[in-house]
Amino acid sequence: MKFGVDYYPEHWPEERWAIDARLMKEARINVVRLAEFAWAKLEPEDGVFDFAWLDRAIDTLSREGIRIILGTPTAAAPKWLMDKRPDMYPVDEHGLTKGFGTRRHYCVNHPVYREYSRRIVRAMAEHYRDHPAVDAWQIDNEFGGACYCQSDLEAFREWLALRYGSIDKLNEEWGTVFWSQTYRDWDEIILPAYAASDGFSQNGGGARMTTPFNHNPGLQLDYQRFFTDATADYQRLQIDEIRRFSELPITHNLMGHFSELDYYKLAEDLDVVSWDNYPNNMWGKSSPASVAMAHDLMRGVKNRNFWMMEQQSGPCGWHAMGDTPEPGQLRLWTYQALAHGAEGMVYFRWRACLFGIEQYWHGILDHDGIGRRRYREIAGIGEELEKLSGLFVGAANPNRTALIKSYDNEWSHRAQPHNLRFSYGALLDQYYRAAARRQVGLDVTGIHTDLSPYKLVMMPVFNLVTEEIAAKCEAFVARGGSLVLTFRSGTRTWNNRMTEKTFPGLFRKLAGVELEEFDSLNFGRTVPVAGVFGEGTAAQWCDVLKLTGAEPLADYAGHYYAGTPAVTVNRFGQGRVYYVGCDLDDAAAERLLGYILEQEGIAGAIPPQAAAGVEAVSRRAADGRRYLVLLNHANTDALVKLQGRYVDALSGEAICDQAALSPYGVQILLEAEGV
Ligand code: GLA
């Protein structure tokens, strides 16, 4: 298993490198990622390449048996390059240029930037072709969101021309007859940047909209799609250069829940997904379920295991520091990632830097180069993983339930969230948490995924829909799968127009309901709901439903539609479709999901009441062995009640009835033979 660190030899005197390499080896580190921000050192002048220092660093590391993931350095372009063409800097929605001084200061669509990128990547790939220490490549670093410069405008027009073929078709799809937005030619197309009716003030007090812009929804959605394609194209340019010289695996480090790019598409050209996980930094603390969900999504991006390319290993932040990871937490976070599909573990960063905006971003060693508690903990994990890697590499999460995340839907909801307090991300998170509290493992993935392995598929608020998607869902349910749909499903076409079909549009047959009307709940108004899950409260949205085949599972208990169905179930072929017509408070949502899981015969890895604060993940190793990973996210002792017999994979001890976990403790329990 790759067990490594992100290392910046260019930040330290050469005399130190050998000490670092030795300390790494002693901590069982066997891989380092290098060079992803070192363009100015690798090409100090236009066309003048210097790989000698990196060669020496790699030699020093490989003398200790450490292998290399090489990053292409394009996320941090040198000043000499940016000075050549100031129009390569990114431009924001307000037309302001984002200048030099940090990183990611470029536009993926700028032709000159693309050529310089191609050249440095080609030089690097050629120089390191067949290098015996290099194991993999990382493209760039954490691709980000959209830009609004002239190069984007030109590329967007070309992208649209390819997509729609004729300007009339585009006008029709976007509905540009509205407010005289009709375009006569591709050259008239605009970017969805600041426009006359846009203003932060229009959002209303405390509203949760993330975009203040009021552009045509078709234009807005297409721009997001375009930007993913443009980024993937820029990434492909680099992949093609590497592939001229190397067949090694190529990755890019994604950012978990980050949703500005469609990660399913971005990852199509990658061999392996990797991602960067900082659960506890100056900007916030992620709940264990949110981190678990991010891991599950990263696994779902390619429906394959992934690598951690940056796993937090110290207190971190830019202007201030987040909490120091407590004893045991680095190990807990490591095993949580492994349990959810990581099969490579690279920690950020080896040593806290003495300069730059990340001088507070601590890693394994402190500023003085001394490894203390965190170093010892990492070394301990390294030792354990030498014994356990066979359980994690190639292992599967044999989940029977999928939660569908759609970036297209997210973008549509973000531009027009139906109700000002509605958030697609928050609703998905609520469904995930509900399953997590019942210890039910989920695959978080896209609707392109083969649904046949699943018993239950949840696709909340899937408002953009195509005939193909509806047909896929119908086939899945007809064959015996069960589907969860919610309010605002099927309300739009794939290009973000409202459908003229009666809601829930293309899902009407599946759901066995039709909307008579709906009610967006505002300014603190709530509606009680009661049914199979007990009582709950809607606070954002209520569909008023007419049953056309479905049966009610819950009714509204207030407002003018009291007594009408709020949640329904419909038999369709061999399967069932649940339609959840309203949002619910967390407790009711959890009970509703509990009811659905019970109906579908889906049990958690351990019973929900087995232990509070402990996450249990059920896995199948590459050799078929079944095991449980128990993760105590609390800093208190925990006792987990177990059914069945297990063997502790580390101690070899037999475990029956219960497992005792220390604060932030982890246990990996192999199912004992014959149970
Ligand atoms: C990201 C980047 C790293 C580093 C860390 C800490 O994940 O990929 O280069 O900057 O954040 O900020």
Side-chain angles (χ1 to χ4, degrees):
M1 179 189 290
K2 285 185 167 43
F3 186 69
V5 290
D6 300 299
Y7 184 46
Y8 301 91
E10 67 272 29
H11 296 175
W12 306 101
E14 271 197 54
E15 310 82 78
R16 173 73 195 191
W17 296 352
I19 301 171
D20 285 334
R22 188 174 42 74
L23 286 171
M24 286 178 196
K25 186 182 178 185
E26 285 169 12
R28 310 293 210 274
I29 301 291
N30 58 29
V31 68
V32 299
R33 182 193 61 181
L34 297 176
E36 83 280 10
F37 297 115
W39 194 343
K41 288 272 294 182
L42 295 171
E43 190 180 359
E45 304 283 343
D46 192 351
V48 179
F49 298 101
D50 176 10
F51 294 110
W53 67 272
L54 188 55
D55 293 346
R56 291 194 300 277
I58 293 177
D59 286 349
T60 308
L61 292 157
S62 51
R63 271 197 291 277
E64 299 290 358
I66 295 167
R67 307 190 57 77
I68 309 299
I69 299 169
L70 271 182
T72 68
T74 47
K79 188 67 167 38
W80 62 256
L81 172 53
M82 299 313 293
D83 283 351
K84 279 185 195 296
R85 290 290 297 264
D87 61 342
M88 295 190 303
Y89 285 112
V91 174
D92 77 5
E93 301 89 324
H94 294 92
L96 294 174
T97 298
K98 301 178 186 174
F100 196 79
T102 57
R103 60 179 176 182
R104 302 220 57 73
H105 43 263
Y106 72 92
C107 173
V108 292
N109 285 309
H110 198 290
V112 175
Y113 195 80
R114 290 167 68 93
E115 278 321 301
Y116 275 91
S117 301
R118 191 193 301 281
R119 194 175 72 177
I120 181 71
V121 174
R122 182 179 303 177
M124 238 178 134
E126 187 168 15
H127 185 83
Y128 290 105
R129 73 191 302 172
D130 305 324
H131 193 296
V134 178
D135 252 6
W137 286 83
Q138 174 188 300
I139 306 287
D140 202 283
N141 189 81
E142 294 187 340
F143 283 125
C147 170
Y148 298 82
C149 72
Q150 184 63 25
S151 303
D152 298 317
L153 180 58
E154 286 161 21
F156 185 44
R157 288 169 175 170
E158 281 175 29
W159 184 90
L160 289 170
L162 271 176
R163 181 175 175 86
Y164 291 104
S166 82
I167 198 76
D168 292 345
K169 175 87 168 113
L170 175 143
N171 281 314
E172 172 60 23
E173 283 297 316
W174 287 3
T176 54
V177 66
F178 185 76
W179 285 356
S180 283
Q181 288 165 358
T182 308
Y183 300 102
R184 292 167 308 158
D185 199 345
W186 303 110
D187 290 348
E188 291 185 350
I189 299 280
I190 57 155
L191 297 180
Y194 199 43
S197 301
D198 292 332
F200 294 94
S201 59
Q202 293 193 347
N203 283 342
R208 195 170 165 180
M209 267 168 107
T210 49
T211 167
F213 290 176
N214 300 308
H215 278 287
N216 180 302
L219 164 67
Q220 296 202 60
L221 178 60
D222 271 345
Y223 197 62
Q224 296 264 186
R225 289 175 171 155
F226 156 75
F227 223 86
T228 288
D229 286 359
T231 308
D233 189 65
Y234 175 70
Q235 179 178 256
R236 195 171 314 117
L237 170 155
Q238 298 202 22
I239 292 174
D240 289 347
E241 291 305 322
I242 294 172
R243 282 285 171 255
R244 290 159 67 110
F245 306 102
S246 165
E247 287 306 313
L248 290 172
I250 298 177
T251 189
H252 169 73
N253 52 338
L254 308 181
M255 294 184 277
H257 291 297
F258 179 80
S259 293
E260 293 302 316
L261 298 170
D262 181 334
Y263 277 162
Y264 307 126
K265 282 191 155 194
L266 188 70
E268 275 171 13
D269 294 325
L270 299 172
D271 299 299
V272 56
V273 158
S274 61
W275 85 280
D276 302 343
N277 179 28
Y278 296 95
N280 193 345
N281 58 46
M282 71 172 268
W283 296 286
K285 240 180 192 175
S286 308
S287 69
S290 167
V291 177
M293 182 177 176
H295 286 308
D296 287 339
L297 172 64
M298 295 294 94
R299 192 183 67 249
V301 165
K302 285 183 90 67
N303 294 311
R304 230 180 271 166
N305 287 348
F306 56 88
W307 299 343
M308 295 311 306
M309 192 56 88
E310 300 179 14
Q311 172 62 54
Q312 180 174 349
S313 62
C316 51
W318 282 0
H319 326 99
M321 280 167 263
D323 302 353
T324 297
E326 295 173 47
Q329 268 190 315
L330 301 182
R331 181 169 177 269
L332 175 72
W333 293 339
T334 299
Y335 281 106
Q336 188 186 29
L338 295 170
H340 286 273
E343 51 181 36
M345 179 56 57
V346 178
Y347 296 94
F348 191 90
R349 49 188 284 155
W350 173 242
R351 177 175 172 183
C353 195
L354 303 180
F355 39 72
I357 189 62
E358 294 201 340
Q359 58 198 27
Y360 282 170
W361 207 285
H362 291 73
I364 299 174
L365 305 192
D366 291 312
H367 290 106
D368 59 7
I370 293 175
R372 301 186 171 85
R373 173 176 66 82
R374 299 192 305 280
Y375 175 79
R376 291 191 293 276
E377 287 188 24
I378 298 283
I381 302 167
E383 205 179 328
E384 286 179 6
L385 289 181
E386 285 188 347
K387 290 182 224 142
L388 297 180
S389 65
L391 282 180
F392 293 107
V393 176
N397 294 65
N399 296 327
R400 298 172 66 214
T401 309
L403 176 65
I404 302 297
K405 167 167 176 158
S406 155
Y407 291 93
D408 296 272
N409 271 281
E410 168 133 28
W411 298 332
S412 166
H413 289 304
R414 226 168 34 189
Q416 292 185 294
H418 321 276
N419 174 287
L420 277 180
R421 284 172 315 285
F422 172 76
S423 147
Y424 178 68
L427 193 81
L428 257 53
D429 182 65
Q430 187 191 53
Y431 275 68
Y432 187 93
R433 278 185 284 118
R437 275 198 293 268
R438 299 196 164 245
Q439 307 288 4
V440 169
L442 297 185
D443 288 353
V444 184
T445 190
I447 192 61
H448 58 278
T449 292
D450 173 16
L451 302 180
S452 59
Y454 299 110
K455 178 70 185 107
L456 179 67
V457 170
M458 303 191 284
M459 47 192 299
V461 278
F462 209 92
N463 70 330
L464 306 175
V465 66
T466 62
E467 302 267 356
E468 293 70 35
I469 290 172
K472 181 175 184 167
C473 293
E474 285 175 14
F476 167 70
V477 181
R479 284 196 303 267
S482 289
L483 187 68
V484 176
L485 300 171
T486 70
F487 60 102
R488 303 315 274 167
S489 294
T491 58
R492 292 180 184 226
T493 71
W494 197 246
N495 283 332
N496 220 5
R497 294 164 59 124
M498 299 308 296
T499 179
E500 56 183 322
K501 298 184 194 318
T502 299
F503 294 160
L506 290 168
F507 292 127
R508 202 157 40 136
K509 217 165 46 166
L510 267 170
V513 295
E514 271 181 23
L515 265 69
E516 285 287 288
E517 56 180 327
F518 48 74
D519 185 18
S520 172
L521 312 185
N522 293 290
F523 314 118
R525 186 162 64 85
T526 58
V527 174
V529 190
V532 288
F533 54 85
E535 289 178 1
T537 307
Q540 295 172 2
W541 196 271
C542 296
D543 278 350
V544 181
L545 301 172
K546 180 170 103 189
L547 303 180
T548 56
E551 287 162 27
L553 294 177
D555 289 344
Y556 296 111
H559 215 43
Y560 67 88
Y561 37 83
T564 69
V567 181
T568 62
V569 63
N570 188 40
R571 283 227 157 258
F572 185 92
Q574 305 291 304
R576 278 184 280 242
V577 179
Y578 299 89
Y579 188 89
V580 188
C582 58
D583 68 299
L584 287 168
D585 59 282
D586 280 353
E590 190 194 333
R591 290 194 306 271
L592 171 62
L593 191 65
Y595 168 83
I596 294 173
L597 291 167
E598 212 167 283
Q599 297 298 303
E600 300 306 324
I602 297 168
I606 57 174
Q609 64 282 7
V614 173
E615 179 188 357
V617 186
S618 170
R619 301 211 85 202
R620 191 180 58 236
D623 62 8
R625 280 181 295 169
R626 293 269 184 168
Y627 64 98
L628 263 186
V629 182
L630 299 179
L631 303 150
N632 181 10
H633 291 287
N635 62 358
T636 48
D637 290 325
L639 269 187
V640 183
K641 292 194 190 64
L642 295 169
Q643 290 159 341
R645 286 168 39 224
Y646 295 90
V647 174
D648 185 312
L650 274 170
S651 68
E653 201 185 318
I655 308 276
C656 299
D657 304 331
Q658 62 178 32
L661 296 172
S662 52
Y664 301 126
V666 176
Q667 282 196 12
I668 296 118
L669 302 182
L670 293 160
E671 281 187 14
E673 298 284 326
V675 176

